[in-house]
Amino acid sequence: MSSISDPQPAEALLRALRQVRSVRSFRPDPVPDESLTAILEVARWTGSGSNSQPWTFVVVRDPATLGAIAAASPNVRHVAGAAAAIVIVMDGAMPEIETFDEGRVAERILVAATALGLASAIGWIMPAGAAAVAALLGVPEGRRARTLVSLGYPTEEGARPKSAPGTARRPLAEMVRFERFS
Ligand SMILES: Cc1cc2nc3c(=O)[nH]c(=O)nc-3n(C[C@H](O)[C@H](O)[C@H](O)COP(=O)(O)O)c2cc1C
């Protein structure tokens, strides 16, 4: 059995991590249940402050609901065309630490989707649309539905490289210092 300490699986994982980019244009094909389950299993194993696991994952596949979420928060309009979305509902007990947990779990969902060959895009439901989305999804008072991840297979346009290789991020030399900042 291979392990993550073997060079090949490690390289595959590192490649998936480097390849995570937002793709906002999806084909209508459904996301297979096995893929959704695999992504949710990765999400389940995300570490959280005091192992509190302060989340519930709402999987949305109904196009009407996806469209209504996009209408409530137009900055997440990509969700309207997604085959599925995972809405991360946080418990809301300790907002500061939960914000970090929310980012960790969202990123793992993106990485797992990328590893499975799926396109994905994160979205933040804006405060103005939050009550409408909570009502749509039946999110109880006190919980917070802010981050969602749109999922699907990419259209031809979505699959195209978004920028010239290596140009979408500042170079490492600009963001790394050794031993001291200055
Ligand atoms: C906290 C957070 C919120 C984001 N919200 C949105 C959003 O509401 N809508 C959207 O289209 N992209 C959203 N993004 C995606 C970023 O714009 C994107 O990751 C960034 O521009 C880098 O592009 P890339 O993911 O293609 O590398 C969000 C990203 C983060 C980390």
Side-chain angles (χ1 to χ4, degrees):
M1 211 174 116
S2 63
S3 86
I4 203 66
S5 57
D6 291 342
Q8 272 187 337
E11 184 44 44
L13 175 61
L14 296 179
R15 194 178 326 113
L17 285 163
R18 288 192 302 265
Q19 282 176 349
V20 177
R21 300 294 309 274
S22 305
V23 177
R24 300 179 175 88
S25 172
F26 306 96
R27 300 202 309 256
D29 315 50
V31 176
D33 285 350
E34 314 83 75
S35 298
L36 273 175
T37 303
I39 292 167
L40 292 165
E41 272 296 331
V42 168
R44 182 168 83 88
W45 277 99
T46 304
S48 53
S50 308
N51 197 25
S52 58
Q53 306 160 67
W55 40 57
T56 303
F57 307 118
V58 181
V59 179
V60 181
R61 285 175 285 204
D62 181 345
T65 310
L66 294 168
I69 295 172
S73 189
N75 58 300
V76 296
R77 69 183 68 82
H78 51 74
V79 76
I86 298 175
V87 182
I88 302 168
V89 180
M90 303 304 292
D91 288 356
M94 302 213 285
E96 193 179 350
I97 194 163
E98 283 185 16
T99 294
F100 193 92
D101 296 337
E102 188 179 355
R104 279 191 84 184
V105 74
E107 182 67 15
R108 288 202 188 190
I109 291 170
L110 297 170
V111 173
T114 303
L116 291 165
L118 289 163
S120 59
I122 196 169
W124 248 17
I125 297 154
M126 287 291 111
V133 173
L136 265 169
L137 304 181
V139 175
E141 190 84 24
R143 305 219 181 187
R144 172 137 98 156
R146 175 172 60 179
T147 303
L148 62 77
V149 178
S150 296
L151 297 166
Y153 289 98
T155 59
E156 213 172 296
E157 183 209 332
R160 251 182 249 133
K162 293 171 45 142
S163 51
T167 62
R169 297 292 188 265
R170 291 159 53 212
L172 210 49
E174 238 185 55
M175 54 175 86
V176 180
R177 315 278 160 94
F178 290 95
E179 316 305 342
R180 287 173 51 87
F181 189 97
S182 62

